[in-house]
Amino acid sequence: MAKDMTLFWGSGSPPCWRVMIALEEKNLQGYNSKLLSFEKGEHKSKEVMEVNPRGQLPAFKDGKVIINESYGICMYLEDKYKNQGNKLIPECPDERAMMYQRMFEGLTLFQKLAQSLFYTRYVPENERHDSALERNTKELKDEIGRWEGYLKGNFLAGEHFTMADVIVYPVIAFLFRFGLCEEKYPKLAAYNNTLKERPSIKASWPPTWKEGPGMDTLKNL
Amino acid sequence: MAKDMTLFWGSGSPPCWRVMIALEEKNLQGYNSKLLSFEKGEHKSKEVMEVNPRGQLPAFKDGKVIINESYGICMYLEDKYKNQGNKLIPECPDERAMMYQRMFEGLTLFQKLAQSLFYTRYVPENERHDSALERNTKELKDEIGRWEGYLKGNFLAGEHFTMADVIVYPVIAFLFRFGLCEEKYPKLAAYNNTLKERPSIKASWPPTWKEGPGMDTLKNL
């Protein structure tokens, strides 16, 4: 039951957002939603550390069950509420294979995004190199090109909305929020613009993104 | 059917090894096993690139289905052969939550291992800093400490062997292969020594590890 669930989350974080999309898709509205600020360091607060000793968001409780890994939470919700809301894992083994392939490749997409966009956040000033940032950015560009090529149907794993979309959509939305050029990546842009209108995604849209425009960091990618 | 499956793999690679353990657990012996050499660059060969355009191992085919992400292959095999071999995903939602939690935290363990042990492989010489390697190694030590604390039962997710063990065991075995001290991490050592004897793990033990001793890189961790 949603009222036994508590989610600590931060606005715009793809790992948090995917959990919120999964909760919407499984008709689990009404959970205890605790929006915290990364900027204020609230992800290191006592109430988060008690649930997630890593001091990271998301942190999630369902009654006595604690699970904090975002991929894990999504899978757990789908398993536990198999017959509630939308079915996120296809029955057909071939479609399922494609879903798993894309959802786990999503880890690489997010890693490439982070090592380019958050380079100065993660690398201390005296260890930074232009050559490293250039290489990381080139790797991100190549990775995005791969995903542009993947989109043949309407969704990441084919013609149906699946767990791959729940998990990877927030990363793709993040790229466009940081200025990815719609003309250069028309399939990803169409995907992004279609999914934006999906009820689960509209309902969970990052509140800080509604307050103003994004950045143009990736505009030349 | 195992005879329709082809696995391209490299010896000692945790992502390859977990797939081999899953195949053994699901009684899928008899698949086409293609051992390749990373040192000779065989993971970039045409036959691999045709299956996995990233040029990475594992690369896996089941008839016409292609799936290369190691977590995905393990999940796909468990789903498709639910009633064959050992059940790797518990029925109970609480146990399942713990299994997902540990299996996805395993990504962090492997990432911390890689950024310390493979620092010079991934970072070009002119971008290396002692401070970075020290920090990465400290993070690996902290991460291993976390896992030492996790082990309460016999297995990573409690009292039963689950997908969390299939996926994370090869990373833990890798740490000991690189000299992790058994006395400092007694629970991980006991886990490693027990699992070593499990038939699926014995049958898939890395052939290069049988040829000689490991390294002592991590002996002071």
Side-chain angles (χ1 to χ4, degrees), chain B residues 107-143:
Chain B
L107 292 164
T108 300
L109 180 62
F110 189 53
Q111 182 227 328
K112 302 287 181 202
L113 177 161
Q115 71 182 19
S116 172
L117 273 180
F118 307 145
Y119 184 73
T120 56
R121 190 187 302 175
Y122 289 126
V123 181
E125 199 167 353
N126 65 321
E127 294 174 10
R128 290 180 202 156
H129 294 270
D130 291 344
S131 53
L133 180 55
E134 276 165 30
R135 189 176 54 250
N136 292 354
T137 304
K138 167 75 168 58
E139 284 180 13
L140 175 59
K141 183 185 164 80
D142 292 348
E143 185 66 27

Coordinates of all heavy atoms in Angstrom, one line a residue, chain B residues 107-143:
Chain B
L107 N 27.3 -3.0 -8.3 CA 27.8 -2.1 -9.3 C 28.8 -1.1 -8.7 O 29.9 -0.8 -9.3 CB 26.7 -1.3 -10.0 CG 25.7 -2.1 -10.9 CD1 24.5 -1.3 -11.1 CD2 26.4 -2.5 -12.2
T108 N 28.5 -0.6 -7.5 CA 29.4 0.3 -6.9 C 30.7 -0.4 -6.4 O 31.8 0.2 -6.6 CB 28.7 1.0 -5.7 OG1 27.5 1.6 -6.1 CG2 29.6 2.0 -4.9
L109 N 30.6 -1.6 -5.9 CA 31.7 -2.3 -5.5 C 32.7 -2.5 -6.7 O 33.9 -2.3 -6.6 CB 31.3 -3.7 -4.9 CG 32.5 -4.6 -4.4 CD1 33.3 -4.0 -3.3 CD2 31.9 -6.0 -4.0
F110 N 32.1 -2.9 -7.8 CA 33.0 -3.2 -9.0 C 33.6 -1.9 -9.5 O 34.7 -1.8 -9.9 CB 32.1 -3.8 -10.1 CG 33.0 -4.3 -11.2 CD1 34.1 -5.1 -11.0 CD2 32.7 -4.0 -12.6 CE1 34.9 -5.6 -12.1 CE2 33.5 -4.4 -13.6 CZ 34.6 -5.2 -13.4
Q111 N 32.8 -0.8 -9.5 CA 33.3 0.5 -9.9 C 34.5 1.0 -9.0 O 35.5 1.5 -9.5 CB 32.2 1.5 -9.9 CG 32.6 2.9 -10.4 CD 32.1 4.0 -9.5 OE1 31.0 3.9 -8.8 NE2 32.8 5.1 -9.4
K112 N 34.4 0.8 -7.7 CA 35.4 1.2 -6.8 C 36.7 0.3 -7.0 O 37.8 0.8 -6.9 CB 35.0 1.1 -5.3 CG 33.7 1.9 -5.0 CD 34.0 3.4 -4.9 CE 32.8 4.2 -4.5 NZ 32.8 5.6 -4.9
L113 N 36.4 -1.0 -7.3 CA 37.5 -1.9 -7.6 C 38.3 -1.4 -8.8 O 39.5 -1.3 -8.8 CB 37.0 -3.3 -7.7 CG 37.9 -4.4 -8.1 CD1 37.2 -5.8 -7.8 CD2 38.3 -4.5 -9.6
A114 N 37.5 -1.1 -9.9 CA 38.1 -0.8 -11.1 C 38.9 0.5 -11.0 O 40.0 0.7 -11.6 CB 37.0 -0.7 -12.2
Q115 N 38.3 1.5 -10.3 CA 39.0 2.8 -10.3 C 40.3 2.8 -9.5 O 41.1 3.7 -9.6 CB 38.1 4.0 -9.9 CG 37.6 4.0 -8.5 CD 36.7 5.1 -8.1 OE1 36.0 5.7 -9.0 NE2 36.5 5.4 -6.9
S116 N 40.4 1.8 -8.6 CA 41.7 1.7 -7.9 C 42.6 0.7 -8.6 O 43.7 1.1 -9.0 CB 41.4 1.2 -6.5 OG 42.6 0.9 -5.8
L117 N 42.2 -0.5 -8.8 CA 43.1 -1.6 -9.4 C 43.5 -1.3 -10.8 O 44.6 -1.6 -11.2 CB 42.4 -2.9 -9.3 CG 42.5 -3.8 -8.1 CD1 41.8 -5.1 -8.2 CD2 44.0 -4.0 -7.7
F118 N 42.6 -0.7 -11.6 CA 42.9 -0.4 -13.0 C 43.2 1.0 -13.3 O 43.1 1.5 -14.4 CB 41.7 -0.9 -13.9 CG 41.3 -2.3 -13.6 CD1 39.9 -2.6 -13.7 CD2 42.2 -3.3 -13.3 CE1 39.5 -3.9 -13.5 CE2 41.8 -4.6 -13.1 CZ 40.4 -4.9 -13.2
Y119 N 43.6 1.8 -12.2 CA 43.8 3.2 -12.4 C 44.8 3.5 -13.6 O 44.5 4.3 -14.4 CB 44.4 3.8 -11.1 CG 44.6 5.3 -11.1 CD1 43.5 6.2 -11.1 CD2 45.9 5.8 -11.2 CE1 43.7 7.5 -11.1 CE2 46.1 7.2 -11.3 CZ 45.0 8.0 -11.2 OH 45.2 9.4 -11.2
T120 N 45.9 2.8 -13.6 CA 46.9 3.1 -14.7 C 46.4 2.6 -16.1 O 46.9 3.0 -17.1 CB 48.3 2.5 -14.4 OG1 48.1 1.1 -14.2 CG2 48.9 3.2 -13.2
R121 N 45.5 1.7 -16.1 CA 44.9 1.2 -17.3 C 44.0 2.3 -18.0 O 44.0 2.4 -19.2 CB 44.2 -0.1 -17.2 CG 43.9 -0.8 -18.5 CD 43.0 -2.0 -18.3 NE 43.6 -3.1 -17.5 CZ 43.0 -4.2 -17.2 NH1 41.8 -4.4 -17.6 NH2 43.6 -5.1 -16.4
Y122 N 43.3 2.9 -17.1 CA 42.2 3.9 -17.6 C 42.7 5.3 -17.7 O 42.1 6.1 -18.4 CB 41.0 3.8 -16.7 CG 40.2 2.5 -16.9 CD1 39.9 1.7 -15.8 CD2 39.8 2.1 -18.2 CE1 39.2 0.5 -16.0 CE2 39.2 0.9 -18.4 CZ 38.9 0.1 -17.3 OH 38.2 -1.1 -17.5
V123 N 43.7 5.7 -16.9 CA 44.1 7.1 -16.9 C 45.4 7.3 -17.6 O 46.4 6.6 -17.2 CB 44.2 7.6 -15.4 CG1 44.6 9.1 -15.4 CG2 42.9 7.3 -14.7
P124 N 45.4 8.1 -18.7 CA 46.7 8.3 -19.4 C 47.8 8.8 -18.4 O 47.5 9.6 -17.5 CB 46.3 9.3 -20.4 CG 44.8 9.3 -20.6 CD 44.3 8.9 -19.2
E125 N 49.0 8.5 -18.8 CA 50.1 8.8 -17.8 C 50.2 10.3 -17.4 O 50.3 10.6 -16.2 CB 51.4 8.4 -18.5 CG 52.6 8.3 -17.5 CD 53.8 7.6 -18.0 OE1 53.7 7.1 -19.2 OE2 54.8 7.5 -17.3
N126 N 50.0 11.2 -18.4 CA 50.1 12.6 -18.0 C 48.9 13.2 -17.2 O 48.9 14.3 -16.9 CB 50.3 13.5 -19.3 CG 49.1 13.4 -20.2 OD1 48.4 12.4 -20.3 ND2 48.7 14.5 -20.8
E127 N 47.9 12.3 -17.0 CA 46.7 12.8 -16.2 C 46.7 12.1 -14.9 O 45.7 12.3 -14.1 CB 45.4 12.5 -17.0 CG 45.3 13.3 -18.3 CD 44.0 12.8 -19.1 OE1 43.2 12.1 -18.5 OE2 43.9 13.2 -20.2
R128 N 47.7 11.4 -14.5 CA 47.7 10.6 -13.3 C 48.1 11.5 -12.1 O 49.0 12.3 -12.2 CB 48.6 9.4 -13.3 CG 48.0 8.3 -14.3 CD 48.9 7.1 -14.4 NE 48.7 6.4 -15.6 CZ 49.5 5.6 -16.2 NH1 50.7 5.4 -15.7 NH2 49.2 5.0 -17.4
H129 N 47.5 11.2 -10.9 CA 47.9 12.0 -9.7 C 47.9 11.0 -8.6 O 46.9 10.2 -8.4 CB 46.8 13.0 -9.4 CG 46.8 14.1 -10.4 ND1 47.6 15.3 -10.3 CD2 46.1 14.3 -11.6 CE1 47.4 16.0 -11.4 NE2 46.5 15.5 -12.1
D130 N 48.9 11.0 -7.8 CA 49.0 10.1 -6.6 C 47.7 10.4 -5.7 O 47.2 9.4 -5.1 CB 50.2 10.4 -5.8 CG 51.5 9.9 -6.5 OD1 51.3 9.2 -7.5 OD2 52.6 10.4 -6.1
S131 N 47.3 11.6 -5.6 CA 46.2 12.0 -4.7 C 44.9 11.3 -5.2 O 44.1 10.8 -4.4 CB 46.0 13.5 -4.7 OG 45.9 14.0 -6.0
A132 N 44.8 11.2 -6.5 CA 43.6 10.5 -7.0 C 43.6 9.0 -6.8 O 42.6 8.4 -6.3 CB 43.5 10.7 -8.5
L133 N 44.7 8.4 -7.0 CA 44.9 7.0 -6.7 C 44.7 6.7 -5.3 O 44.0 5.7 -4.9 CB 46.2 6.4 -7.2 CG 46.4 4.9 -7.0 CD1 45.3 4.1 -7.6 CD2 47.8 4.5 -7.6
E134 N 45.2 7.5 -4.4 CA 45.0 7.3 -2.9 C 43.6 7.4 -2.6 O 43.1 6.6 -1.8 CB 45.8 8.4 -2.2 CG 47.3 8.0 -2.0 CD 48.1 9.2 -1.5 OE1 47.6 10.1 -0.8 OE2 49.3 9.2 -1.9
R135 N 42.9 8.4 -3.1 CA 41.5 8.6 -2.8 C 40.7 7.4 -3.3 O 39.8 6.9 -2.6 CB 41.0 9.9 -3.4 CG 39.6 10.3 -3.0 CD 39.1 11.7 -3.6 NE 39.3 11.7 -5.0 CZ 40.2 12.4 -5.7 NH1 41.1 13.2 -5.1 NH2 40.2 12.4 -7.0
N136 N 41.0 7.0 -4.5 CA 40.2 5.8 -5.1 C 40.4 4.6 -4.2 O 39.5 3.8 -4.0 CB 40.7 5.5 -6.5 CG 40.3 6.7 -7.5 OD1 39.6 7.6 -7.1 ND2 40.7 6.6 -8.7
T137 N 41.7 4.4 -3.8 CA 42.0 3.2 -3.0 C 41.3 3.3 -1.6 O 40.8 2.3 -1.1 CB 43.5 3.1 -2.9 OG1 44.0 3.0 -4.2 CG2 43.9 1.8 -2.2
K138 N 41.3 4.5 -1.0 CA 40.5 4.7 0.2 C 39.0 4.4 0.0 O 38.4 3.7 0.9 CB 40.8 6.1 0.7 CG 39.9 6.6 1.8 CD 40.3 6.1 3.1 CE 39.6 6.8 4.3 NZ 38.2 6.8 4.3
E139 N 38.5 4.8 -1.1 CA 37.1 4.5 -1.4 C 36.8 3.0 -1.5 O 35.8 2.5 -1.1 CB 36.6 5.3 -2.6 CG 36.4 6.8 -2.4 CD 35.9 7.5 -3.7 OE1 35.5 6.8 -4.7 OE2 35.9 8.7 -3.7
L140 N 37.8 2.3 -2.1 CA 37.6 0.9 -2.3 C 37.7 0.2 -0.9 O 36.8 -0.7 -0.6 CB 38.7 0.3 -3.2 CG 38.8 -1.2 -3.3 CD1 37.5 -1.8 -3.9 CD2 39.9 -1.7 -4.2
K141 N 38.6 0.7 -0.1 CA 38.7 0.1 1.3 C 37.4 0.3 2.1 O 36.9 -0.6 2.7 CB 39.9 0.8 2.0 CG 40.2 0.2 3.4 CD 41.3 1.1 4.0 CE 41.4 0.9 5.5 NZ 42.1 -0.3 5.9
D142 N 36.9 1.5 2.0 CA 35.6 1.8 2.7 C 34.5 0.9 2.2 O 33.6 0.4 2.9 CB 35.2 3.3 2.5 CG 36.2 4.2 3.3 OD1 37.0 3.7 4.1 OD2 36.1 5.4 3.0
E143 N 34.5 0.8 0.9 CA 33.4 0.0 0.2 C 33.5 -1.5 0.7 O 32.5 -2.1 1.0 CB 33.5 0.1 -1.3 CG 32.4 -0.6 -2.1 CD 31.0 0.1 -1.9 OE1 30.9 1.3 -1.6 OE2 30.0 -0.7 -2.0

